[in-house]
Each structure stands twice: as structure tokens, then as C-alpha cells.
Amino acid sequence: MSNQYTVLYVEDDPSSAEILRLYLAQADMQVVHFDNASDAHRALQNLTFQLAILDVMLPGGDGRELLKEAVARNIPTIMVTAKVSETDRLEGFELGADDYVCKPYSPREVISRAKALCKRSYRGQQSAALLFDGLSINLESKSVTVTQQTPALTAVEFELLLAMAKQPQQVFSRAQLIEQVWGSDAPITDRAVDTHLANLRKKLGDSKAEPKFIATRYGQGYQFIARKVSS
């Protein structure tokens, strides 16, 4: 990766932090580490990051507040926490986390997920857009425009939308979406997919009852239904 990614890493446990910092450095990522929420908050305001890896329970604040700030700045984010329940993971996804790793974890797994998330978020695209009735998807800037607004999508939300929009009218099962966006071996649940799609719909101003863009096909999955228009 040639040091092209600068990572905000927030972890208050010294031994865990040192190990993951070494692994991140070996993966050619530049690491800016903090052991408390206050310093990390100031860094988010003043520095530029391509990835954030955040613990939830932190001195001086809550990692979930840092998560919301990172999402607002369009920084792909991995949450790392000892909280292992599905409810806790879904809460992280609802706040905009792109991935979630539970302690104890393998540093190699975190690095693998970090690389995959960066690849999804920043891989090169030709300057082009997919145009639909009421919606445009810019492949270069990884942004969308809907009703003259540009909602801030997380990396996962954008990839979910793009996966479906590339094949409009096809019904995607949750398993197919997991394979396309996260990879078939990712520990992502169906409920997590539903949570990400609910967030995406809300940002697009879409309605589950009367959808313009993403329709739910009960017992089957999801379908992108917007009409494609010429560029």
C-alpha cells in the first residue's frame, strides 16, 4: 500500500495498542495512535485520515461519539470492542460503522479487514456515473446525488448501493450482498445487512412502503428498481 493510508487508531490498552500498531506499520499504513477520546477528537478536527480503528470504551469519552464524527467526515471505520452481543454490533452499524471486530481478536484479521475496507473505499474508478431517474452515482468520488442533495454515505452503504445499481431489477439475497460487499467469509449477519440498507434508504429519502430506489422482496432479498437514464 506504500504508506498511502493514514490510520487513526484509538485504543487505551497499551499492550493491545502496541501489537496492532506494529501490524499496521508492517502493512505499510501510517498510524496515529491515541489512548483517549479527547485527543482523538482533536485529531479528527485537525488531521486527515483514510481509516479509523476505534475502541468503544475509552477514557475521556465514548468511542461511539468518535465513530459518529468519523462517519460525518466520510472516514471508513472499524469498531473494536469487548462487547460481543449482536445488539452492540448492530448499534455500531446503525451509527455508521463499516466493520466491527470483537475482542479478543487476531491482529492479522484486523489488518485483513482494514486492507479490504481501504480497497473498497479507495480503489480507482474511471470518471463516470450511473444515472437513474432521481439518482446519480459518481464512481470516481464515490458519492450520490438525489433530489439535488448529496447525502454522506459510509463506504459499506455506497458499496451496497453500487452492487445493486450495477444490476438493476435483479433481486439480491442477503447472502449475495454479503459476498459482494464484505466477502463470503465475513462474519456479517442478515440483520446487519438489513441495518445498513435501512440506513441507506433513509439517506436516499426512500420509503420501504413506496420505494423509488430499493425494494424489499419478502423471502427473497432486495431489488434496485430505479429506471436507468442515458448519460
Side-chain angles (χ1 to χ4, degrees):
M1 291 190 178
S2 304
N3 287 322
Q4 59 181 317
Y5 298 119
T6 300
V7 181
L8 172 64
Y9 176 37
V10 189
E11 167 63 68
D12 64 319
D13 179 73
S15 60
S16 297
E18 184 60 26
I19 292 170
L20 193 57
R21 284 175 62 188
L22 289 173
Y23 273 86
L24 289 165
Q26 289 172 359
D28 291 328
M29 295 184 180
Q30 297 178 341
V31 186
V32 180
H33 170 251
F34 296 99
D35 62 3
N36 65 86
S38 300
D39 289 342
H41 170 71
R42 284 191 289 271
L44 278 169
Q45 292 181 317
N46 294 289
L47 300 175
T48 299
F49 300 100
Q50 285 74 50
L51 177 69
I53 301 176
L54 308 174
D55 195 4
V56 172
M57 307 300 291
L58 293 167
D62 190 329
R64 287 166 293 196
E65 294 301 316
L66 292 177
L67 168 62
K68 288 190 283 188
E69 185 169 355
V71 169
R73 296 176 184 276
N74 295 319
I75 301 172
T77 305
I78 299 174
M79 296 299 290
V80 180
T81 178
K83 295 186 174 183
V84 298
S85 73
E86 183 181 46
T87 299
D88 290 317
R89 293 197 301 273
L90 290 174
E91 180 186 18
F93 289 140
E94 287 168 357
L95 293 175
D98 294 294
D99 205 348
Y100 203 104
V101 179
C102 296
K103 297 179 179 178
Y105 56 79
S106 161
R108 289 188 178 89
E109 178 187 359
V110 179
I111 297 304
S112 177
R113 291 179 182 229
K115 287 181 176 180
L117 182 54
C118 286
K119 183 178 180 180
R120 289 200 305 267
S121 302
Y122 301 110
R123 62 171 172 244
Q125 296 277 5
Q126 293 182 346
S127 181
L130 299 179
L131 303 178
F132 301 91
D133 188 11
L135 174 72
S136 67
I137 304 173
N138 189 301
L139 303 180
E140 184 175 57
S141 65
K142 289 187 171 290
S143 62
V144 302
T145 301
V146 56
T147 60
Q148 299 183 330
Q149 302 294 320
T150 305
L153 303 187
T154 68
V156 163
E157 289 164 359
F158 182 86
E159 291 299 327
L160 281 168
L161 176 62
L162 183 60
M164 292 186 290
K166 283 182 174 179
Q167 300 182 71
Q169 307 308 320
Q170 176 176 327
V171 177
F172 287 87
S173 68
R174 292 169 179 82
Q176 288 174 316
L177 291 173
I178 289 171
E179 182 171 2
Q180 290 206 30
V181 175
W182 288 274
S184 56
D185 295 331
I188 302 297
T189 65
D190 288 354
R191 284 189 64 192
V193 175
D194 293 340
T195 297
H196 283 297
L197 282 166
N199 290 341
L200 174 60
R201 273 177 167 153
K202 183 177 180 180
K203 291 179 181 180
L204 296 179
D206 209 4
S207 165
K208 185 176 181 179
E210 298 181 2
K212 295 180 294 182
F213 305 120
I214 301 170
T216 300
R217 301 306 182 200
Y218 291 98
Q220 300 178 66
Y222 294 93
Q223 181 182 33
F224 186 83
I225 60 172
R227 181 179 63 87
K228 196 168 186 179
V229 298
S230 314
S231 56

